[in-house]
Amino acid sequence: MTKILYVEDDPSSQRLVQRILTSEGYEVTIADNGLAGIEAAEREKPDLVLMDINISNLDGYEVTTRIRMVEGLENVPIIAVTAATLRGDRERALVAGCNGYIPKPIDVDKFPEQIKAYLVGQEDSVGTPEEQAQYLLEYNRRLVSRLEENVRELQKANEELKRTEKMKSDFVVLAGHELRTPLTVIYGYLQILLVNPAIPGDITQEGSPRHLLHKVSEAVERLSQVIQDILNVSLIAANRLDLSHEPVFLNSVVQSVLHNLRSFGPQRQLIFELGGGLKKVPVIEGDPRRLHQALWNIFSNAIKYTPDGGTITVDAETLDDVVHLWIQDTGVGIPQEELANIFERFYVLEDTALHRSSKTAFKGGGLGLGLAVSKGIIEAHNGKVWAESPGYDEEALPGSTFHVLLPIGDPFSKVESDRKG
Ligand code: ADP
């Protein structure tokens, strides 16, 4: 069946032309704007295109020029159907690549004949070669000024986007600081209360005042972790993470992270294994507190995604000018196709409906910020982080391994020159 594509935004014209052509046995596709017209032409490869000129985004002249560039449509008849009846409109359509011109309103009786003629090769002509050259020049100039207009608009929109992005990141950073300050006070006083002998009970004694205070303190700690993650991820995204330059003893950082998390070990019956390589790694330069956090996030995931009874192993080696650290767990693993995505902001694999807000309970949830923060911190040290896993399996527990590379020597020379560049 002969296929006709009609690019037109006016519904009544669409209906009229569709009715006439369908009753003549043609298959008609309608596109109601310029870009949709190009897509439909590429997809349908029509035998003839009817083109309205005044349509949105790209106009009919531009769509015609573009359709001529589609493979297989170099010679397809394209007919301008338009109410534009100013002097030169017909010529403009022809130099843009149309083969013919049918003025609107269409003559219902003549229309099928006109289409037939164009289908068998009728070609309208512009006039003398001089006239043609003149119209072509005019068309080119119009295209360039349209392009300029669009580039200006895009530039403006881009600046606006940057401005709102900066406002957003300023807001998050400010809000983060504002939230953190009172939390630090609350946390501090809770610690004072917890060691006050006047507070009755024991933290292990369910329901006792001290136990309740301990629970509050844990919740406050969790809250400040979330705020810290949000704050860091905004700073990283805005390239505003300031790192201190100090000697970093990676072995001590790992020990301190483990000390911090070990309390969950007995509760969760997890085994932590430390390889001998850690003690041998050289001192590197960087921000020990940020690196602590980067590793804390990776370790807490290992705990979170490993069922009770599992093992978490950490070891390191020195390779030329980098330290290679790896953290391996015997947990549920990660689907291969997700390995790169998990480092993106807000990326969580689990079903959010089953979300449990704990960083250390088995399969507890998070905001999907932990690994983005780790990656940001490690990359700010000019290092690399990636994950390996054979796949996700809650029964077979294939486990995951997180690898971290950190340069020995001054890691900032390159990062800072990159930032300045
Ligand atoms: P969250 O705050 O949700 O833990 P992360 O950025 O820390 O976010 O991790 C992103 C996702 O990567 C997690 O939701 C989880 O599905 C997956 N993931 C991270 N570490 C592990 C791991 N050790 N084992 C299995 N899955 C993991």
Side-chain angles (χ1 to χ4, degrees):
M1 203 193 272
T2 308
K3 284 200 222 170
I4 296 184
L5 168 64
Y6 185 26
V7 187
E8 166 68 80
D9 57 357
D10 171 46
S12 59
S13 302
Q14 289 174 357
R15 277 195 299 273
L16 177 67
V17 167
Q18 185 155 35
R19 210 175 49 232
I20 304 173
L21 294 180
T22 319
S23 70
E24 292 289 320
Y26 298 112
E27 185 185 319
V28 183
T29 305
I30 307 272
D32 61 9
N33 66 62
L35 291 176
I38 296 170
E39 279 157 22
E42 283 175 329
R43 192 179 61 238
E44 306 283 332
K45 297 279 161 61
D47 301 294
L48 181 139
V49 182
L50 292 170
M51 183 71 65
D52 181 25
I53 297 299
N54 295 317
I55 45 175
S56 57
N57 54 56
L58 292 176
D59 70 19
Y61 302 125
E62 291 152 0
V63 178
T64 300
T65 304
R66 177 66 184 84
I67 290 179
R68 283 273 171 255
M69 291 155 61
V70 175
E71 212 186 310
L73 298 182
E74 298 87 350
N75 299 313
V76 67
I78 305 180
I79 316 303
V81 183
T82 172
T85 48
L86 291 178
R87 224 178 88 78
D89 279 338
R90 179 178 160 277
E91 288 74 8
R92 269 186 279 279
L94 297 179
V95 293
C98 289
N99 305 71
Y101 182 90
I102 300 177
K104 264 196 209 166
I106 57 166
D107 182 333
V108 177
D109 298 327
K110 278 202 212 146
F111 192 60
E113 285 308 314
Q114 290 170 309
I115 298 296
K116 241 180 239 158
Y118 285 121
L119 272 171
V120 294
Q122 178 183 319
E123 292 258 0
D124 296 356
S125 68
V126 179
T128 65
E130 290 74 28
E131 269 178 314
Q132 193 169 355
Q134 188 55 39
Y135 279 112
L136 205 54
L137 182 68
E138 190 198 302
Y139 178 57
N140 279 339
R141 288 187 174 152
R142 209 184 55 94
L143 274 187
V144 173
S145 43
R146 289 252 299 161
L147 185 67
E148 181 188 343
E149 203 180 298
N150 284 343
V151 171
R152 279 188 199 287
E153 267 173 33
L154 274 179
Q155 207 170 28
K156 218 170 106 198
N158 194 25
E159 271 156 24
E160 183 61 20
L161 214 64
K162 276 195 199 146
R163 206 177 62 83
T164 44
E165 185 62 35
K166 171 148 191 331
M167 272 171 65
K168 197 182 79 188
S169 96
D170 284 350
F171 171 78
V172 175
V173 171
L174 273 178
H177 283 305
E178 287 299 317
L179 289 169
R180 230 168 30 157
T181 313
L183 269 186
T184 313
V185 177
I186 298 173
Y187 187 76
Y189 287 149
L190 280 170
Q191 301 317 303
I192 296 174
L193 280 175
L194 272 170
V195 293
N196 187 332
I199 302 290
D202 194 87
I203 55 167
T204 53
Q205 196 183 334
E206 200 78 26
S208 72
R210 195 181 300 278
H211 171 79
L212 297 179
L213 274 180
H214 176 65
K215 286 279 162 208
V216 175
S217 160
E218 271 182 356
V220 170
E221 221 173 325
R222 173 82 190 108
L223 196 56
S224 34
Q225 256 169 28
V226 171
I227 295 171
Q228 188 69 35
D229 274 353
I230 294 177
L231 198 60
N232 279 325
V233 105
S234 327
L235 289 171
I236 290 164
N239 211 357
R240 285 159 61 183
L241 190 72
D242 288 320
L243 298 179
S244 68
H245 297 207
E246 292 167 55
V248 181
F249 298 84
L250 273 176
N251 187 28
S252 318
V253 176
V254 171
Q255 297 283 355
S256 135
V257 171
L258 285 179
H259 177 76
N260 221 247
L261 286 167
R262 237 189 199 125
S263 57
F264 300 101
Q267 245 168 298
R268 295 275 328 277
Q269 291 160 357
L270 294 169
I271 301 153
F272 293 96
E273 273 179 7
L274 250 78
L278 265 169
K279 286 206 182 95
K280 296 189 205 131
V281 300
V283 181
I284 64 162
E285 201 179 311
D287 187 327
R289 279 161 296 276
R290 300 264 195 223
L291 284 173
H292 182 281
Q293 195 187 354
L295 294 178
W296 193 96
N297 290 347
I298 297 175
F299 274 98
S300 70
N301 278 341
I303 293 178
K304 195 160 76 172
Y305 297 102
T306 303
D308 288 6
T311 305
I312 290 148
T313 313
V314 47
D315 206 350
E317 62 185 349
T318 309
L319 308 162
D320 295 333
D321 50 359
V322 291
V323 174
H324 173 208
L325 189 90
W326 62 95
I327 296 123
Q328 189 169 22
D329 63 51
T330 56
V332 294
I334 303 165
Q336 294 259 319
E337 64 281 8
E338 304 287 356
L339 285 170
N341 302 334
I342 57 172
F343 293 94
E344 277 170 29
R345 275 187 289 169
F346 311 116
Y347 199 88
V348 287
L349 275 175
E350 69 260 38
D351 183 353
T352 44
L354 306 173
H355 191 93
R356 267 193 295 155
S357 176
S358 161
K359 268 282 190 186
T360 43
F362 177 50
K363 286 173 73 193
L367 281 179
L369 294 179
L371 289 179
V373 169
S374 300
K375 182 170 186 259
I377 293 175
I378 291 163
E379 287 180 353
H381 282 84
N382 204 14
K384 278 200 179 77
V385 57
W386 72 97
E388 281 174 4
S389 174
Y392 182 91
D393 193 330
E394 284 195 33
E395 299 297 318
L397 301 172
S400 314
T401 307
F402 282 75
H403 297 269
V404 178
L405 292 184
L406 286 165
I408 305 168
D410 183 3
F412 301 113
S413 52
K414 183 179 176 305
V415 177
E416 267 161 21
S417 65
D418 281 356
R419 269 207 207 191
K420 282 180 193 133

